[in-house]
Amino acid sequence: MKHLTTTIFLILCLSLGILVLQPVEDLYGIEYDVRVINGFTNNSSLPLVIWCSSGDNDLGGRALQEGDDFSWSLTTTNFFWGSSTSSNFLCTMKWDAKRKRFDAFNGPRDSRRCYNPFRKCSWLVKEDGFYFSNDEVNWKKDFSWF
């Protein structure tokens, strides 16, 4: 009986230790800002059309002129309490004859690369592809239209 009591006590202490060591925000989920920017040049007559949604949240569509953006916030599901907001957002982009579907936010992929002081995932869509940044200063091409 004493061994069982000691084991239960140790499990409780470890569980509390894990909770204490976690940042408070991680217990309730982490909020991220996602932004998609029309980075085309000289396309004033033809907007970039974007439509984004998650499993439980349809953000609708927008027609972005040069330099316009489409932004939203989301809260990721956490390990302890759970969350009703999906942490995966899929966007469909259309410009002229080009069409592309991409994950604007994918929890497993982006929860680490966007977790910086800004908690920002930004996309700059250009003629040659899609550029990612978590600070909107340093952009890296993630993929092409085709």
Side-chain angles (χ1 to χ4, degrees):
M1 181 70 172
K2 183 176 180 180
H3 180 67
L4 180 62
T5 305
T6 303
T7 303
I8 292 172
F9 178 75
L10 287 173
I11 290 171
L12 285 173
C13 287
L14 286 172
S15 298
L16 286 173
I18 290 170
L19 291 176
V20 169
L21 293 175
Q22 285 285 354
V24 173
E25 63 204 4
D26 288 358
L27 297 177
Y28 300 102
I30 300 169
E31 186 172 301
Y32 293 92
D33 293 319
V34 180
R35 184 174 183 216
V36 181
I37 305 162
N38 179 344
F40 282 89
T41 54
N42 208 11
N43 74 327
S44 58
S45 64
L46 193 60
L48 175 67
V49 178
I50 179 173
W51 191 287
C52 299
S53 64
S54 69
D56 59 358
N57 193 357
D58 187 344
L59 301 176
R62 306 281 192 284
L64 305 179
Q65 295 297 328
E66 185 178 322
D68 286 350
D69 71 282
F70 182 31
S71 304
W72 66 94
S73 295
L74 63 96
T75 303
T76 58
T77 304
N78 64 76
F79 77 96
F80 193 71
W81 300 108
S83 175
S84 61
T85 302
S86 173
S87 57
N88 294 315
F89 277 84
L90 181 69
C91 294
T92 300
M93 312 292 289
K94 183 180 179 297
W95 185 76
D96 200 11
K98 296 179 180 182
R99 184 176 296 247
K100 179 79 170 182
R101 291 180 67 169
F102 79 104
D103 289 314
F105 188 90
N106 179 297
R109 178 193 69 194
D110 296 326
S111 58
R112 291 191 193 273
R113 75 176 180 169
C114 299
Y115 191 85
N116 59 25
F118 309 110
R119 295 193 184 111
K120 183 179 287 197
C121 285
S122 298
W123 294 95
L124 183 64
V125 182
K126 300 173 84 175
E127 291 88 348
D128 68 333
F130 294 67
Y131 292 77
F132 173 81
S133 175
N134 61 9
D135 61 8
E136 294 191 3
V137 174
N138 301 296
W139 296 93
K140 178 183 174 261
K141 187 175 180 181
D142 241 31
F143 50 88
S144 299
W145 278 91
F146 300 106

